[in-house]
Amino acid sequence: MDGSFTLPRDASTSDPLRIAVLISGGGSGLASILSYESFGSRFFRTVLVLADSNEAGGLGHARKAGIDSIGIPLPEIGNKKEQRLKHEELIHEQLEKYNTELIILAGYMRIFTPVFVSKWKGRLINIHPSLLPKYPGAHAHRDALADGAVISGCTVHFVDEGVDTGRIIAQSEVPVLTGDSIGDLQERVKVAEHALYPRTIDAIAENPSLFIDRQDG
Ligand code: GRF
């Protein structure tokens, strides 16, 4: 299933794009987006935060900011495939209910099925903690260190049916230092993520086609 690629509308600061942020963990990326939003006139507005459990620490950031936030744990269904599809349906329902125009994955640790991706393709964005196409998957820092990389960083990209394979929107580099642990590198990359992601979301909301033209041109 290869759904069509539909970009969000060009938003304005008086009518900002309605974004939903999806998280699984502590939500430091979410916090950086909410903070950026609160310090100026932006082309996007976070209307909903969703997590794949009720325990995700990041839900607290949303609540503090007065933003609706919902934990949607996996439903209790024995068949794994059915369970995954039902979970995505529940997420999709909430996204529709809030008239979501752009989905922002910020440390959301599940891979979406092609069924879900096809509904949101062009309006589904992720940040990955490496300079893609290098080190895709769940162990980017471990893989960068094992490879002896001297430069790493982060990548904002559209989500497609693959794992971290969608069109690249923006990247930011950080050095890998001698003796770095996975945690050291992760923290340094997160600083870069927190600077890059909110600005990139704002730029996409203002003029989404800019990013596609640049890729295809
Ligand atoms: C970030 O490094 C992100 O790139 C990766 O997961 C991490 C999420 O961290 N996909 P947090 O939950 O935003 O603190």
Side-chain angles (χ1 to χ4, degrees), residues 25-30 106-109 126-129 141 190 193-194:
S28 66
L30 165 67
Y108 187 71
M109 298 309 284
N126 183 40
I127 189 158
H128 180 78
H141 303 304
K190 275 196 183 188
E193 290 187 28
H194 299 168

Side-chain angles (χ1 to χ4, degrees), residues 52-67:
D52 58 350
S53 81
N54 290 312
E55 286 77 45
L59 287 171
H61 295 305
R63 290 189 183 124
K64 250 185 244 156
I67 292 164

Side-chain angles (χ1 to χ4, degrees), residues 108-124:
Y108 187 71
M109 298 309 284
R110 292 185 182 280
I111 307 296
F112 284 112
T113 66
V115 175
F116 184 90
V117 172
S118 71
K119 289 180 189 153
W120 291 98
K121 218 170 173 185
R123 295 170 300 144
L124 178 56

Side-chain angles (χ1 to χ4, degrees), residues 12-211:
S12 62
T13 52
S14 56
D15 185 15
L17 206 65
R18 298 173 63 82
I19 73 163
V21 183
L22 271 59
I23 59 167
S24 293
S28 66
L30 165 67
S32 75
I33 293 166
L34 297 179
S35 154
Y36 178 88
E37 231 177 295
S38 70
F39 284 110
S41 184
R42 309 302 188 198
F43 290 86
F44 70 91
R45 185 162 75 86
T46 304
V47 295
L48 176 65
V49 172
L50 292 179
D52 58 350
S53 81
N54 290 312
E55 286 77 45
L59 287 171
H61 295 305
R63 290 189 183 124
K64 250 185 244 156
I67 292 164
D68 286 4
S69 56
I70 307 171
I72 306 183
L74 281 173
E76 290 187 16
I77 298 174
N79 179 304
K80 291 281 171 216
K81 191 176 166 203
E82 277 176 31
Q83 184 189 43
R84 205 170 154 209
L85 289 169
K86 182 67 192 168
H87 187 232
E88 291 183 350
E89 266 176 39
L90 296 172
I91 290 170
H92 182 75
E93 269 171 29
Q94 292 299 332
L95 293 168
E96 295 261 270
K97 186 172 154 196
Y98 280 81
N99 296 321
T100 303
E101 297 179 286
L102 181 68
I103 304 172
I104 299 298
L105 304 182
Y108 187 71
M109 298 309 284
R110 292 185 182 280
I111 307 296
F112 284 112
T113 66
V115 175
F116 184 90
V117 172
S118 71
K119 289 180 189 153
W120 291 98
K121 218 170 173 185
R123 295 170 300 144
L124 178 56
I125 284 169
N126 183 40
I127 189 158
H128 180 78
S130 76
L131 296 175
L132 291 171
K134 278 183 172 279
Y135 321 126
H139 302 288
H141 303 304
R142 182 197 69 187
D143 295 347
L145 291 174
D147 195 33
V150 291
I151 299 283
S152 193
C154 53
T155 303
V156 180
H157 65 96
F158 287 104
V159 175
D160 67 7
E161 289 79 3
V163 176
D164 303 321
T165 51
R167 288 164 194 255
I168 291 173
I169 298 168
Q171 294 186 307
S172 174
E173 293 184 354
V174 304
V176 182
L177 303 181
T178 310
D180 265 354
S181 64
I182 290 175
D184 295 335
L185 183 55
Q186 181 179 43
E187 286 316 307
R188 199 174 307 120
V189 169
K190 275 196 183 188
V191 173
E193 290 187 28
H194 299 168
L196 181 70
Y197 212 10
R199 277 195 285 111
T200 304
I201 297 165
D202 211 30
I204 292 166
E206 182 179 8
N207 191 351
S209 54
L210 205 63
F211 296 89

